[in-house]
Amino acid sequence: MTRSRPRPRSLLRGTLAVCLCLILADAKAGSTEQARRIHDRLTGVPPTAETLAGMTAQIDAGDATAAAFIALTNPAFYNTTVREFATPFSNRDRSIYTDLNDTTATIVGMVRDAVPFDRVLFEDIVYIGSNAATNVAFAANDNAHYLDLQSEGVDLSDPGMLVQSTQSALTDLDAAATAGVMTSRGFSEAFLVAGTNRAAVRFAMLNFMCLDQEDLRDVTAWPDRIRQDVTRSPGGDSAIFLNDCLACHAGLDGLAGAFAYYDFDPDLTQLVYTNGNVQPKYLRDAGVFRNGFRTLGDSWVNYWRTGPNSHIGWSGMGSGTGAKSLGQELAQTRRFAECQVQRVFEKVCHRTPNGTADVNAVQTIANAFEADNRNMQTAFAHVAVHCMGD
């Protein structure tokens, strides 16, 4: 039997050195690939060599979130990703394939400028194109201003092109009657037109709380705000009302009074606010059940604060008058924070949160979002880091 000769120590050292170099090379490639994935998730376009190097260096230093914030400086993040994130909030189909309007532009601007995002539902705010961006003036009764920004391909990431203003300065609304995007032309054209204004509450909850009517059903809610247009015995059976209709209408009608003075007039093609005068739509079909609630003002009561919907994490007053105070009631909840992270997750990760790791991540990122004054950039950056291994 021939015994193998031991390798010289110098050869062993050389082999170990080669292996170490390969491991380091793999690690370097790993952080570079992670940087590339983060950038792609956030912008949809490849990074420049300089950007990629900067992001890789941050990941190697143990700060992947800082790498994500580098990606946020790419104009494509605002012009594509954030715009597509915001656009579904302005139409009933919740489609990304609709024209730019004041709702979408305002959300893009708020994210870009790190405006505390809870204000999206109650601030006197609107983003418009600057004089350098367009010569088509903002108008309360048409969308031409935003269509021009869109057709000209104006860079929404540029603070010199998309600028912050107030609705009270540009429309007939006074500051007290404004409620963030809920009183924007885009939102009102979609959700305050015709109907009974219940849609405004439903879509505000769906878009910004990630909860639709079926999620909010509560047969224990107090029914005293259910309007006169809702029969108490559908098909002659009052049990249907008690076990089905009441579950949605008690909470929904309790909140919908906040929009009693608002209507989108299709003839004027703009939002109309009749301070002190309830819109006729609230009194429609009063003969269906005359003992039902008759809307006489714009007060609202939140009957979802207790019972099965207490998990929302309410922190507001529970009642008030007008759309602005309702917006504060909704936006200053824990559910609002979790929903923004969930919406960002769906946009950036191209899937819904799934499994324990994702659920825990949503909670952790929501904590960071709230701690950073509800900065949406924080939500986007942290979500991108969480999904960089997908």
Side-chain angles (χ1 to χ4, degrees):
M1 180 177 179
T2 303
R3 182 175 294 177
S4 60
R5 298 174 61 184
R7 293 185 179 182
R9 290 186 178 179
S10 60
L11 180 59
L12 289 173
R13 282 196 297 268
T15 302
L16 290 172
V18 170
C19 291
L20 180 59
C21 288
L22 290 173
I23 291 172
L24 290 174
D26 287 342
K28 185 69 173 178
S31 58
T32 299
E33 180 57 30
Q34 288 173 342
R36 198 186 308 276
R37 288 181 182 178
I38 290 173
H39 196 278
D40 180 67
R41 294 281 190 184
L42 289 171
T43 70
V45 297
T48 65
E50 181 181 1
T51 295
L52 185 61
M55 292 178 65
T56 300
Q58 291 289 354
I59 293 173
D60 287 338
D63 196 347
T65 303
F69 269 96
I70 293 175
L72 299 188
T73 63
N74 190 300
F77 171 65
Y78 297 101
N79 289 302
T80 302
T81 304
V82 180
R83 178 177 171 177
E84 290 182 354
F85 165 83
T87 299
F89 302 160
S90 68
N91 64 90
R92 290 192 180 226
D93 293 333
R94 306 186 72 245
S95 170
I96 64 172
Y97 302 109
T98 58
D99 291 322
L100 183 69
N101 58 28
D102 56 348
T103 307
T104 300
T106 298
I107 293 174
V108 172
M110 291 181 70
V111 175
R112 186 198 67 195
D113 295 344
V115 176
F117 200 65
D118 56 338
R119 298 181 186 180
V120 74
L121 293 181
F122 61 83
E123 188 78 354
D124 180 10
I125 190 171
V126 65
Y127 275 77
I128 62 174
S130 68
N131 292 335
T134 177
N135 57 10
V136 178
F138 174 92
N141 63 350
D142 66 49
N143 196 45
H145 176 79
Y146 295 96
L147 291 177
D148 190 60
L149 295 178
Q150 177 175 277
S151 65
E152 294 298 320
V154 170
D155 182 5
L156 304 180
S157 74
D158 186 345
M161 294 292 157
L162 184 68
V163 298
Q164 184 181 144
S165 186
T166 61
Q167 295 176 33
S168 58
L170 298 172
T171 71
D172 294 333
L173 297 175
D174 59 36
T178 62
V181 298
M182 293 196 297
T183 49
S184 65
R185 185 179 185 276
F187 185 96
S188 60
E189 183 178 27
F191 310 123
L192 287 170
V193 65
T196 60
N197 282 2
R198 292 180 174 105
V201 176
R202 181 206 166 190
F203 280 92
M205 295 292 296
L206 178 59
N207 291 331
F208 296 100
M209 307 281 277
C210 298
L211 296 168
D212 206 350
Q213 288 306 295
E214 287 301 309
D215 304 308
L216 293 160
R217 289 173 57 85
D218 179 8
V219 296
T220 69
W222 197 249
D224 67 323
R225 286 268 179 156
I226 299 179
R227 291 187 219 161
Q228 295 172 313
D229 63 343
V230 178
T231 178
R232 275 31 174 203
S233 55
D237 187 354
S238 60
I240 296 176
F241 168 78
L242 293 172
N243 296 310
D244 189 15
C245 306
L246 182 152
C248 289
H249 275 285
L252 181 62
D253 285 15
L255 298 180
F259 296 100
Y261 302 155
Y262 298 87
D263 185 38
F264 185 86
D265 189 320
D267 296 322
L268 299 176
T269 63
Q270 71 179 65
L271 178 64
V272 174
Y273 178 71
T274 52
N275 189 12
N277 295 306
V278 174
Q279 289 290 334
K281 64 174 70 177
Y282 275 77
L283 308 175
R284 187 179 300 153
D285 296 325
V288 173
F289 186 74
R290 292 191 178 278
N291 291 325
F293 182 76
R294 181 176 174 83
T295 305
L296 299 176
D298 66 344
S299 65
W300 58 267
V301 177
N302 185 2
Y303 289 132
W304 285 330
R305 291 174 68 91
T306 59
N309 294 314
S310 59
H311 69 90
I312 288 173
W314 305 99
S315 62
M317 297 299 293
S319 63
T321 57
K324 185 182 289 292
S325 63
L326 176 61
Q328 292 172 323
E329 175 82 352
L330 302 181
Q332 294 172 352
T333 62
R334 173 63 180 185
R335 184 63 187 179
F336 176 86
E338 294 170 348
C339 179
Q340 306 326 301
V341 175
Q342 181 178 323
R343 295 285 185 229
V344 170
F345 197 109
E346 292 166 353
K347 179 59 188 169
V348 172
C349 304
H350 308 298
R351 60 183 177 83
T352 57
N354 183 16
T356 302
D358 286 349
V359 171
N360 291 340
V362 168
Q363 294 300 317
T364 300
I365 298 169
N367 290 340
F369 170 72
E370 292 185 317
D372 196 20
N373 203 18
R374 294 178 172 85
N375 182 350
M376 284 298 291
Q377 294 178 23
T378 297
F380 274 98
H382 282 285
V383 167
V385 171
H386 175 74
C387 296
M388 67 182 178
D390 287 2

